[in-house]
Amino acid sequence: MRAWQAPSVPEVPGNGPRPVVHDTAVGRPVDPTRGDDRAALYVCGITPYDATHLGHAATYLAFDTLGRAWRDAGFDVEYAQNTTDVDDPLLERAARDGVDWQDLAASQIDLFRRDMEALRILPPDDYVAVTDEVERIAEAIAFLQETGYAYSVPTPDSEGDDLYFDVNRPTESWALGDESRLDRETMLTLSAERGGDPDRPGKRDPLDPLLWRAARAGEPSWETEVGPGRPGWHIECSVIAGDRLGLPITVQGGGSDLVFPHHEMSAGHAAALAHQPLANAYVHTGMIAYQGEKISKSLGNLVTVRGLLDDGADPRAIRLALLSHRYSDDWEWFDGELASATRRLATWDAWASGGAGHADDADDVVARLRARVADDLDTPGAVAAVDTAVAGGTRSTPALVDVVDALLGIRIG
Ligand code: 5CA
Ligand code: ZN
């Protein structure tokens, strides 16, 4: 599927350091490339049933920053992202609003593309709709059946059977690791809150996730080798990441609401399919709140990128406001954030268009910016480095203006 228009990224002389990022699986920063000169990034994409909110924007911006830091360090980056264009929340929204689910998905994907473009987010090389991969996913599920990882559960409201993944069948390379291990009670609660069905009768373990939903009247379905139906959620990301990037990928990314069960189960599926870990590292962004609650399509407390742009916001200021927070923190958006980012940007613009100051400090600032971004995407530190240069009389050399663009994605001047 078509992604979106790539922003230009200037070449900056020299290279930044090899980035380290916090890996949820081990609970500390790591170089996920493990010495390789190639980096394969998979980021969980949107479920297209409502507009891009600031939480989504912040998450894709964090991985955009990682992509920029890798490129600046001289890596070849391959990036894949899915879009969950068939799933319960989308079908429920389409039914509620009396619109066709495919039309709803197409229109929301279009909006998302426009928002990503406005924010100058680097597009994935492979932007993959789940509806285009159903056969491949079914093939993988058939393999899991043959190898004993998948089992069927009686499904009275369908001619076929739903298929589930047996979480207790051991695999060598499963799991994000001890740091993400949760107690069973928490896993059951999170599973129920995040698309799972721990109370479904007939499962071997309440935590077993759905791999395949057999066709139901009035629901979309595909004819496949595991019967008519549609894929469950986690398997889509395991299959798409493995097919497009090869396992293990360098980084599996998404918001922290995906740590469990989504990334845990995707890793389990990958281990069962390929006897490989899904990823070298699992990187998670914090949750952004508004008016005291996590911003969420289902809660409806949305601050959308489109809304801010329609109100006249400079997209660079939205970017700068988001970059002023640490990607891994949970934080709350206040209405004043945009105004303060807009003021900061005006100062940076004025500085970049003036020619005064000491040019000999500029190289140090370039190095400092690179060091901050490569250090677990410390964008607040990078923003502070620019502030210090602006306030301290460093001259805005072309290399300095370019590194702000290359790493922070903001063209000033
Ligand atoms: N389609 C699945 C992933 S396969 C999905 O989670 N879609 S989503 O539309 O609900 O979310 C898209 C991305 O935005 C996910 O990485 C999610 O973790 C992230 N996200 C959602 N809400 C927030 C928030 N409030 N703050 C930060 N990131 C968020
Ligand atoms: Zn995903």
Side-chain angles (χ1 to χ4, degrees):
M1 186 173 61
R2 183 175 64 81
W4 54 89
Q5 176 89 43
S8 61
V9 180
E11 291 284 334
V12 183
N15 284 125
R18 302 177 76 93
V20 297
V21 279
H22 182 94
D23 176 10
T24 305
V26 295
R28 60 183 163 76
V30 298
D31 169 3
T33 64
R34 300 188 178 165
D36 207 348
D37 55 8
R38 165 185 179 265
L41 174 66
Y42 182 88
V43 180
C44 283
I46 56 162
T47 304
Y49 68 90
D50 213 333
T52 318
H53 61 61
L54 284 181
H56 303 133
T59 290
Y60 298 111
L61 178 56
F63 294 102
D64 169 86
T65 308
L66 176 58
R68 288 168 183 271
W70 269 331
R71 283 175 178 82
D72 185 55
F75 288 90
D76 280 331
V77 183
E78 257 184 278
Y79 178 16
Q81 184 179 131
N82 69 314
T83 182
T84 309
D85 63 344
V86 57
D87 202 7
D88 295 340
L90 167 67
L91 300 175
E92 285 160 14
R93 178 62 63 92
R96 188 198 78 177
D97 295 351
V99 294
D100 178 73
W101 65 275
Q102 285 163 302
D103 292 344
L104 176 61
S107 65
Q108 293 307 317
I109 292 169
D110 246 13
L111 262 179
F112 177 67
R113 287 190 182 107
R114 275 192 274 152
D115 292 343
M116 293 294 103
E117 237 166 70
L119 293 176
R120 301 184 80 218
I121 306 278
L122 298 170
D125 306 296
D126 265 321
Y127 191 37
V128 186
V130 170
T131 51
D132 287 333
E133 299 297 313
V134 174
E135 271 183 35
R136 259 300 295 141
I137 297 169
E139 197 183 304
I141 295 171
F143 178 78
L144 292 177
Q145 273 186 307
E146 282 159 30
T147 50
Y149 287 103
Y151 65 93
S152 51
V153 168
T155 309
D157 53 343
S158 173
E159 313 243 302
D161 279 346
D162 292 340
L163 301 177
Y164 281 81
F165 184 74
D166 186 344
V167 295
N168 293 303
R169 187 178 159 89
T171 57
E172 313 87 76
S173 36
W174 187 2
L176 277 70
D178 290 332
E179 280 302 311
S180 69
R181 282 266 159 246
L182 302 163
D183 62 74
R184 195 170 165 86
E185 216 41 53
T186 310
M187 289 195 279
L188 286 166
T189 309
L190 290 177
S191 159
E193 283 171 11
R194 297 173 176 172
D197 54 1
D199 298 328
R200 164 89 188 250
K203 296 205 297 184
R204 291 179 187 164
D205 187 311
L207 290 173
D208 288 348
L210 179 74
L211 286 166
W212 185 255
R213 180 167 164 89
R216 308 290 203 283
E219 288 186 20
S221 65
W222 286 258
E223 286 294 339
T224 69
E225 62 187 281
V226 291
R230 61 180 162 101
W233 178 25
H234 319 302
I235 188 72
E236 73 189 47
C237 288
S238 322
V239 171
I240 295 171
D243 280 1
R244 301 305 169 114
L245 300 170
L247 298 180
I249 58 173
T250 310
V251 163
Q252 159 71 309
S256 60
D257 58 338
L258 300 186
V259 175
F260 190 90
H262 185 51
H263 288 171
E264 181 77 43
M265 296 303 170
S266 301
H269 297 341
L273 284 168
H275 302 283
Q276 291 273 359
L278 175 63
N280 291 345
Y282 299 84
V283 178
H284 294 104
T285 56
M287 287 294 111
I288 302 197
Y290 182 59
Q291 297 171 334
E293 296 249 39
K294 170 189 150 180
I295 304 184
S296 130
K297 290 185 278 208
S298 37
L299 291 174
N301 59 335
L302 299 185
V303 187
T304 62
V305 173
R306 187 49 38 193
L308 295 176
L309 292 173
D310 286 349
D311 288 345
D314 181 338
R316 299 178 306 158
I318 303 176
R319 232 185 128 100
L320 188 53
L322 298 173
L323 289 171
S324 306
H325 295 269
R326 192 76 195 229
Y327 82 93
S328 46
D329 287 345
D330 294 331
W331 56 275
E332 179 161 354
W333 174 266
F334 291 105
D335 293 323
E337 310 253 345
L338 189 61
S340 80
T342 306
R343 280 195 300 275
R344 177 178 261 139
L345 195 55
T347 329
W348 290 14
D349 275 339
W351 168 73
S353 355
H358 334 283
D360 43 347
D361 303 344
D363 287 350
D364 295 342
V365 181
V366 170
R368 172 130 191 96
L369 259 165
R370 283 179 149 151
R372 286 298 85 229
V373 172
D375 179 11
D376 198 16
L377 314 179
D378 176 14
T379 55
V383 169
V386 180
D387 280 345
T388 307
V390 172
T394 302
R395 190 190 304 164
S396 60
T397 60
L400 191 38
V401 169
D402 278 352
V403 83
V404 171
D405 188 352
L407 290 176
L408 301 182
I410 296 174
R411 190 76 206 163
I412 48 174

